[in-house]
Amino acid sequence: MIEPGAPGARDAVIDRYSGLARTALAGGAITDCDPGAFAEGRFGAAAYPGAAGVPEAALRASLGCGNPLAVADLNPGETVLDLGSGGGLDVLLSARRVAPGGIAYGLDASPDMLTLARANAAQAGLTNARFLPGHIEDIPLPDGQVDVVISNCVINLSADKPRVLAEVFRVLRPGGRLGISDVTADDGTDPGQMAEAEQQAGCGATLTQTQYRDLLQTAGFTGVAITSTHEAGPGLHSAVIQAAKPAHRHT
């Protein structure tokens, strides 16, 4: 997992998650927010009850707020991209679903997370899982190459969310789809209370669902659906966010 946008802040986040990756590589358990949230199943691997056969290190490094694969509806032969792939759990599960013929890419800015993810893919014997270094604001893939973009509690960490969503729109093929889990803020939440909750939950500057919907539509997405799943902290909720790139552009 990665990012905010200002170089100093972004570097600090990358360092933070690199340290967590090193802990996971050494066999330790990791959390990136209140450990109680993981124990209660609001964050982490608890959202993946059917992840049998996945390397234990990938489950230990799961830091998300949901399970985007529950709504991504992946099919054999598709190309999927996971933004902020961390230890690779969603990429490994995606790679299974898009085989044969499909490819699952993971993008992460932490070299240590990429090392962890590649080791997990090798252990799982998955040859169609690819891990790319880079930032979610500048996705290192050509236009129109991806069928599905997923992400798990990462976009909230970026300080340039409009750029992220514009990049997602760019790399998706016409008719491609977005299915992510992220933390959203409740409309009308007191800013001070929200900042405290964000710090506790390990989030960046969270968007309200209204703001998320507006940014997606501004980027060109249609069919936007945002569904709250569980409370992530006072004034915060995890949510499943789905949208599509139109199959044809109107002229």
Side-chain angles (χ1 to χ4, degrees):
M1 298 172 74
I2 38 184
E3 255 47 2
R10 185 161 65 184
D11 289 347
V13 174
I14 294 169
D15 288 345
R16 171 185 168 197
Y17 284 100
S18 291
L20 294 174
R22 290 192 293 271
T23 299
L25 282 164
I30 64 175
T31 63
D32 65 338
C33 64
D34 178 7
F38 283 79
E40 295 164 7
R42 290 185 285 135
F43 289 87
Y48 297 85
V54 174
E56 179 63 28
L59 289 169
R60 282 200 310 270
S62 175
L63 301 170
C65 58
N67 179 0
L69 297 183
V71 298
D73 192 26
L74 302 179
N75 301 301
E78 291 188 319
T79 297
V80 59
L81 168 65
D82 180 18
L83 301 180
S85 49
L89 176 60
D90 287 324
V91 176
L92 303 187
L93 295 174
S94 296
R96 288 179 178 175
R97 294 193 185 185
V98 299
I103 297 175
Y105 288 103
L107 174 65
D108 208 286
S110 165
D112 293 289
M113 278 294 184
L114 292 169
T115 297
L116 174 62
R118 288 167 180 151
N120 288 333
Q123 183 179 342
L126 293 168
T127 59
N128 64 331
R130 317 276 171 80
F131 293 95
L132 308 173
H135 302 295
I136 61 175
E137 296 91 354
D138 294 287
I139 298 173
L141 288 173
D143 295 358
Q145 183 166 323
V146 177
D147 295 294
V148 186
V149 171
I150 63 173
S151 186
N152 198 346
C153 207
V154 172
I155 293 177
N156 75 84
L157 296 173
S158 174
D160 194 351
K161 297 173 182 64
R163 174 66 180 263
V164 174
L165 297 178
E167 278 289 275
V168 171
F169 192 87
R170 178 185 66 79
V171 300
L172 280 172
R173 295 188 174 106
R177 56 203 187 273
L178 171 73
I180 65 175
S181 296
D182 210 354
V183 173
T184 60
D186 298 343
D187 286 308
T189 302
D190 175 80
Q193 181 187 39
M194 186 187 302
E196 183 178 350
E198 287 171 342
Q199 184 176 15
Q200 184 179 22
C203 301
T206 52
L207 299 171
T208 67
Q209 292 190 9
T210 298
Q211 290 170 328
Y212 230 126
R213 185 182 303 276
D214 289 346
L215 285 180
L216 285 163
Q217 291 173 341
T218 298
F221 287 96
T222 60
V224 178
I226 302 177
T227 306
S228 295
T229 53
H230 54 265
E231 185 178 290
L236 302 179
H237 278 85
S238 296
V240 170
I241 300 163
Q242 297 167 280
K245 181 173 180 175
H248 302 285
R249 281 194 176 275
H250 296 291
T251 57

